Amino acid sequence: MTVAAILAALLLLLAIGMPVGFAMAISGALGLYMQGGIDTLFGVLRTAPLSGVSHYELLTIPMFLLMAEMVLLSGIADELFKTAAAWLGRIPGGLGMATALAGAGFGAICGTSTASAATLASTSLPSMVRQGYEPKLAAGVVAISGTLAMLMPTSVALVIYGLIAEVNIGKLLISGIIPAILVTITILGTILLLVWQDPARAPAARRLPFREKLQMLWSVGPMLLLFTAVTGVIYTGVATPTEASAVGALGAFLLALARLKVTIPRLIVAVQRASYGSCMILAILIGANIFSYAFTLTHVAHDLVAWVGGLAVSRWIIITLILAGYILLGSFMDQMAILVLTVPIVLPVIKTLGFDPIWFGVIKIVTAEVGLITPPIGLNCFIVARYAHRPVTEVFRGTFPHFIAHLVAIALLVAFPELVLWLPSQMAQ
Amino acid sequence: MIVALDRGLSAIERPAAVLSAFVLFGMMLIVAVDVAMRYVFNDPFAWSHDVISLYLLPAVFYLALSRTFDIHGHIGVDILQYSLSDRWRRLCQIAIGLLGAGLFVLIAWLGFERTVEEYADGSAISGLIEWSTWISVAFVPLGSLLISVRLVIYALLHAIALIFDERIVELPPLAGSEESLLEAEA
């Protein structure tokens, strides 16, 4: 009864458009009152609003958001694409591939996919269209390449999963690297296939002198340095992910300073955007905290685990159904909301089935990538449509081949968990 | 009068949000210098961990909470909103404002009680330095009170828009809409 009331209240509040964090807190508060009375409710509301924001590890989220803002301020993304385009432009579909590589490179230092999509849309998309690329193909590549940021070691989404699932965040961030490479290869392969089907979709760009290409490589140097500063220190255990995120943010700030892009008003705007983003995420985490107290009292997660454990069905069928459910949810719900709403319930089931929580986190994030390009609310498609001045339906059609290719990538990651777990297993303890 | 209240509240929210941004930038400097002090001079700050988790993180969150709502920075699920008329969407905003205000008034009140108790008890976290906890707890009622007032004003403005003059406040932009993307760019 209480569970039904909590879920009904949550769905109703979400349906009226209430911010996710507030909706979870209110429905959780209702559940606490129904399950434990007024004392339980007051007890949780006295502590959760502060304890939910006073963990040192939470600092990783604002620091990665700040790093992303500083990277955007530095304008390095433009040069990443230009460099990749100079080296790959002559290959059929080369500018599309350059976009995917710039997306991976940019994602490696800016872990938010919407920022990545917006940046790629304003830099690589006009170049591809000018080159005579089919707009549908160009827009699809940009939308999917933006999602790569979610798998990189600066991924805010992975940090949030790590905090909710209580897994080692350093290992989790590192575990995304090989899947990110796999997904990048998947995108490159899809572009090649599309161009092979119809070469007119993506004409080759003009040839650049070798000397010019070499010079352009210099611009990638600071990006590599920043990527190494963050990933290297996490991998070697020199610093915690929290410390690495702050060092990365400072590095990105110094990069923007060195490129003479920093003015006081622009800096304030950039830091404020990081502050608003952090506030939004922390509000969701506090709401999820209150909600999970209520859910714990109902013993639903425990009962669900017992029920799934008693099923005479292969665990591979169950994980396939869970992932299919995630892709379906991702087509109409925000990824952050999906993470905080489902992980506390689904993760105990995953553990009972004998799957690794770090592996599941990465797979979950790849399904989230798919959600970002799936109608009706695939956010990256809307961002690209806006920048490209194209109908959003066209962008969705352009991402469809990548949607199919991503399903193949997910199947590979599910079939071969070592792809996710090998790199973190090599880390210093 | 409501419009004047709205402006008055914005006059508090904006500097609070700028302060939140300064604190955020400060945390970046503290942690980065702390790491450098540890590896270069083998002499890390003894206070950074406690100061950040106890005071600075709550400050960043609660100082920006209300302003983030005002700029539609808290994400929601818009799927049903696309199919609603403007009139129904106004009603939804009123419900969001009132229910949200109810939650945050309760949190503000309980937080205020806790702040007073911890101040009276002289509660502190022991360690190399004793950190008073009431300062940290005080951010909860402060930030929650601000957003409670913001939510009440929000509900009232949408009620006025529904009954009298819809120009007084615009409906929040939907995800993927032109307005939301323009807002994201801004």
Side-chain angles (χ1 to χ4, degrees):
Chain A
M1 174 62 192
T2 308
V3 176
I6 297 174
L7 288 179
L10 178 66
L11 291 177
L12 181 69
L13 294 174
L14 289 177
I16 65 169
M18 180 172 271
V20 175
F22 299 7
M24 293 183 84
I26 292 174
S27 50
L30 176 73
L32 286 168
Y33 177 70
M34 290 176 74
Q35 199 72 11
I38 201 83
D39 289 341
T40 308
L41 171 64
F42 282 10
V44 171
L45 290 189
R46 265 173 74 91
T47 52
L50 183 63
S51 64
V53 291
S54 52
H55 286 294
Y56 187 72
E57 289 70 26
L58 282 175
L59 182 62
T60 319
I61 295 169
M63 288 301 112
F64 275 155
L65 290 177
L66 187 58
M67 184 175 168
E69 291 296 338
M70 292 301 155
V71 167
L72 287 174
L73 191 63
S74 75
I76 196 171
D78 299 6
E79 283 169 30
L80 267 180
F81 171 71
K82 281 179 195 158
T83 308
W87 284 89
L88 295 170
R90 293 293 299 160
I91 305 170
L95 286 186
M97 292 185 200
T99 303
L101 290 180
F106 187 62
I109 50 173
C110 164
T112 54
S113 57
T114 43
S116 195
T119 310
L120 287 173
S122 60
T123 53
S124 60
L125 196 59
S127 300
M128 282 192 278
V129 172
R130 262 200 312 275
Q131 197 60 42
Y133 271 53
E134 184 185 55
K136 189 173 76 175
L137 183 144
V141 172
V142 171
I144 191 69
S145 300
T147 67
L148 280 168
M150 287 179 86
L151 270 178
M152 291 295 184
T154 54
S155 166
V156 174
L158 276 175
V159 173
I160 292 169
Y161 172 84
L163 288 169
I164 299 170
E166 294 176 353
V167 297
N168 183 315
I169 292 176
K171 289 194 170 191
L172 186 65
L173 292 173
I174 295 297
S175 67
I177 294 178
I178 293 179
I181 295 170
L182 175 73
V183 171
T184 308
I185 293 170
T186 309
I187 298 171
L188 297 179
T190 310
I191 297 167
L192 268 180
L193 188 70
L194 289 170
V195 178
W196 174 73
Q197 278 181 333
D198 181 4
R201 279 176 173 152
R206 72 183 175 88
R207 186 187 296 275
L208 281 178
F210 188 69
R211 189 188 160 85
E212 206 172 311
K213 286 190 203 174
L214 269 185
Q215 273 176 345
M216 282 180 150
L217 268 186
W218 276 109
S219 64
V220 185
M223 189 216 85
L224 279 178
L225 199 67
L226 200 53
F227 176 68
T228 313
V230 176
T231 312
V233 294
I234 295 174
Y235 186 79
T236 54
V238 166
T240 63
T242 312
E243 292 168 341
S245 64
V247 171
L250 181 65
F253 171 62
L254 294 177
L255 186 65
L257 265 183
R259 293 165 64 90
L260 306 175
K261 300 282 185 181
V262 178
T263 61
I264 296 292
R266 289 181 73 188
L267 180 65
I268 290 177
V269 168
V271 182
Q272 270 196 293
R273 284 166 63 117
S275 148
Y276 295 144
S278 311
C279 187
M280 177 268 284
I281 293 172
L282 292 177
I284 293 177
L285 290 178
I286 291 177
N289 200 357
I290 295 170
F291 188 81
S292 67
Y293 273 119
F295 233 72
T296 307
L297 286 181
T298 65
H299 301 289
V300 161
H302 180 264
D303 295 346
L304 186 68
V305 167
W307 178 72
V308 173
L311 285 177
V313 180
S314 159
R315 65 179 191 147
W316 296 104
I317 292 178
I318 297 173
I319 191 82
T320 306
L321 288 175
I322 289 174
L323 294 178
Y326 268 129
I327 292 172
L328 192 69
L329 270 181
S331 68
F332 61 88
M333 261 180 86
D334 181 83
Q335 292 304 329
M336 202 73 74
I338 296 174
L339 264 181
V340 292
L341 282 171
T342 63
V343 169
I345 299 162
V346 173
L347 195 67
V349 175
I350 294 296
K351 286 180 183 167
T352 307
L353 293 172
F355 292 114
D356 189 294
I358 287 186
W359 168 82
F360 177 70
V362 172
I363 304 278
K364 163 72 203 80
I365 296 300
V366 184
T367 63
E369 285 188 332
V370 175
L372 283 171
I373 56 157
T374 312
I377 67 152
L379 193 58
N380 274 21
C381 293
F382 281 101
I383 289 173
V384 173
R386 154 104 182 112
Y387 278 89
H389 301 291
R390 312 291 307 186
V392 72
T393 48
E394 186 179 271
V395 185
F396 277 123
R397 280 206 304 275
T399 55
F400 185 70
H402 298 285
F403 173 81
I404 302 293
H406 259 66
L407 296 187
V408 176
I410 292 172
L412 281 173
L413 293 171
V414 171
F416 304 105
E418 299 79 18
L419 288 170
V420 178
L421 297 173
W422 177 76
L423 203 51
S425 73
Q426 304 301 307
M427 280 171 72
Q429 293 302 309
Chain B
M1 186 187 147
I2 296 294
V3 175
L5 261 177
D6 180 31
R7 286 191 190 135
L9 185 61
S10 292
I12 301 171
E13 286 171 333
R14 284 169 194 266
V18 172
L19 188 58
S20 163
F22 272 105
V23 174
L24 183 63
F25 197 76
M27 284 196 296
M28 176 192 78
L29 293 175
I30 290 171
V31 178
V33 174
D34 189 23
V35 172
M37 292 293 285
R38 175 154 29 106
Y39 286 104
V40 181
F41 303 106
N42 200 22
D43 184 23
F45 299 145
W47 47 268
S48 68
H49 194 286
D50 288 337
V51 167
I52 286 172
S53 51
L54 199 57
Y55 304 128
L56 302 186
L57 271 171
V60 165
F61 175 71
Y62 282 104
L63 288 174
L65 181 62
S66 185
R67 177 79 180 139
T68 306
F69 180 81
D70 193 35
I71 61 159
H72 312 299
H74 290 291
I75 55 156
V77 180
D78 292 344
I79 188 80
L80 193 74
Q81 300 288 307
Y82 286 101
S83 53
L84 293 181
S85 66
D86 281 3
R87 192 176 171 75
W88 274 102
R89 286 192 64 206
R90 292 271 182 213
L91 284 169
C92 288
Q93 305 317 308
I94 296 167
I96 289 168
L98 295 179
L99 288 169
L103 170 77
F104 282 105
V105 164
L106 189 56
I107 291 176
W109 172 247
L110 293 168
F112 175 71
E113 275 187 344
R114 192 178 157 194
T115 309
V116 171
E117 278 170 26
E118 300 216 355
Y119 180 75
D121 294 347
S123 300
I125 289 183
S126 54
L128 284 173
I129 303 166
E130 287 214 333
W131 303 104
S132 292
T133 53
W134 73 269
I135 302 170
S136 169
V137 182
F139 283 115
V140 178
L142 278 175
S144 303
L145 186 65
L146 260 187
I147 194 167
S148 300
V149 178
R150 166 56 62 204
L151 285 158
V152 170
I153 291 174
Y154 184 77
L156 286 174
L157 284 172
H158 280 287
I160 292 169
L162 183 71
I163 301 166
F164 301 111
D165 180 5
E166 64 179 27
R167 286 168 302 177
I168 196 165
V169 62
E170 287 183 12
L171 282 163
L174 294 170
S177 66
E178 187 80 0
E179 303 84 51
S180 80
L181 294 167
L182 285 171
E183 202 168 76
E185 276 174 42

